[in-house]
Amino acid sequence: MNLELGDLEELYQDVILDHSRRPRNFGELSDAAVRVHGDNPACGDEIHLAVKFDGNGGLEEIKFTGHGCAISQASASLMTTKLKGKSRDEVEEMLGAFHDLVTSENNDAPKKLGDLRAMRGVRKFPQRVKCAMLPWRAVEQALRQTEGEATVSTEEPEFA
Amino acid sequence: MADVTGLHVLGPSRDRGGVISFVMGAAHPHDLTTFADQYGLALRGGHHCNQPLMRRFGVPGTSRASFYLYSTREEIDRMVDILDKAVRFFK
C-alpha cells in the first residue's frame, strides 16, 4: 500500500480547515449589484456569491453563502478575503494565478497569492479541482455582467 | 462502526444488507472519501443520485461502505481504524 499521507496534510492545511469551519465574508449582501449561484451538482457544493462594484467596476464588497465540502467553502472564504477591494484587472490576474496554482504541477505558488497558496494541495487531487474553482468561476461570471443574477455550473464543458 | 465517536450510522442496526450509509459531523462526505482513499479504503460519498432523500434527512450527502461475501473481519477492523483517524483529523 502506497500511503501518500503528505498529500492529505497538504490538501487539508490548518488554514483550509479553519476557513471551512469559520468562513469569512459569509452572509447576505442586501444591496448587491450581481448575484451568481455556483452549482456543483455532482458533489452538491453550492456557492451563492453577491458583489457590489465601486465607481471603476472594482469589487467594493463581496460576500457569499452556501454549503459543501471543506475545499469549496474554504476556497470561497479565502477568495473573498483576497478579492475585496481589488480592481477588475487585479481580480482577473488573481483568477488566472489561482487556476494555475490548483491545476499546474510545476507551479511555484507566487507570493502575491498570499493565503490562497494554502490551496496548492488541490493539484494532487484532480477530482477536487472543481470544488476549488467553483467560487472563482462565480466571481468571473459576476465581472461579466454589471447587474442581475446568473448561475454557473461545474457541468458546463468549459468549466475548470 | 457504531462505536466510533462522531460517526452516525443510518438505517436499522440489525437485519440489513451489506450496504452501510453513515455521516460524520466533522467532515463532508467528499472530504471523508478523499481521506479514506489515501489510506486505501474505497468509500462512496455524496448524494447517491438521491437528492430528495438527502434533503428529507437534512444531510449534505452520506458516505457508504459496501460489503460482500469476500469481505473479511480484518478489512472491517481496518476500516473502523481509518474512520476513527478521520474523526480526529477533521475535528
Side-chain angles (χ1 to χ4, degrees):
Chain A
M1 191 164 40
N2 182 22
L3 289 188
E4 297 282 351
L5 297 187
D7 291 347
L8 212 48
E9 307 288 349
E10 199 183 10
L11 179 64
Y12 292 109
Q13 293 183 33
D14 286 346
V15 58
I16 306 252
L17 293 175
D18 177 53
H19 273 263
S20 75
R21 289 181 194 125
R22 282 186 296 278
R24 322 299 197 266
N25 301 306
F26 190 92
E28 304 290 343
L29 189 58
S30 56
D31 54 348
V34 179
R35 294 176 203 279
V36 181
H37 308 289
D39 190 22
N40 185 349
C43 281
D45 300 333
E46 278 180 39
I47 301 282
H48 308 291
L49 192 75
V51 304
K52 210 172 119 182
F53 299 109
D54 61 26
N56 300 315
L59 289 180
E60 186 183 327
E61 188 63 73
I62 175 165
K63 296 186 92 165
F64 80 103
T65 60
H67 55 87
C69 67
I71 304 301
S72 68
Q73 301 304 303
S75 181
S77 174
L78 283 160
M79 182 190 81
T80 57
T81 59
K82 190 70 188 173
L83 296 188
K84 196 167 162 180
K86 293 283 190 290
S87 74
R88 188 166 280 260
D89 286 350
E90 287 169 325
V91 172
E92 277 167 12
E93 187 191 340
M94 218 55 90
L95 168 66
F98 183 80
H99 182 260
D100 237 35
L101 178 80
V102 295
T103 54
S104 165
E105 267 299 315
N106 305 315
N107 188 282
D108 56 358
K111 243 190 174 134
K112 67 177 176 197
L113 285 173
D115 275 357
L116 292 172
R117 286 178 292 177
M119 300 289 297
R120 66 178 172 272
V122 171
R123 71 179 70 158
K124 298 267 182 63
F125 297 86
Q127 74 276 29
R128 307 307 295 278
V129 169
K130 285 180 175 181
C131 313
M133 284 305 296
L134 184 63
W136 288 87
R137 291 301 176 212
V139 83
E140 183 182 36
Q141 179 60 38
L143 287 188
R144 281 198 200 119
Q145 52 192 92
T146 47
E147 56 178 10
E149 296 201 21
T151 299
V152 293
S153 169
T154 53
E155 298 306 288
E156 290 156 18
E158 69 273 23
F159 193 94
Chain B
M1 287 176 77
D3 290 341
V4 179
T5 310
L7 201 73
H8 179 61
V9 178
L10 303 169
S13 56
R14 302 176 64 89
D15 300 326
R16 61 182 295 168
V19 179
I20 316 283
S21 288
F22 54 95
V23 291
M24 186 180 283
H28 186 279
H30 287 114
D31 295 316
L32 178 57
T33 49
T34 292
F35 182 93
D37 179 46
Q38 293 298 297
Y39 281 93
L41 169 63
L43 295 175
R44 186 170 175 197
H47 34 53
H48 315 292
C49 305
N50 204 344
Q51 291 93 324
L53 186 66
M54 300 298 142
R55 271 198 299 276
R56 164 69 179 76
F57 289 122
V59 294
T62 74
S63 302
R64 201 167 75 183
S66 302
F67 306 95
Y68 197 52
L69 297 174
Y70 43 68
S71 302
T72 65
R73 187 169 285 272
E74 287 70 35
E75 287 170 339
I76 294 168
D77 287 344
R78 212 172 88 211
M79 179 188 78
V80 169
D81 281 346
I82 294 166
L83 294 175
D84 204 44
K85 274 193 183 72
V87 172
R88 280 179 274 128
F89 185 85
F90 287 109
K91 77 162 195 286

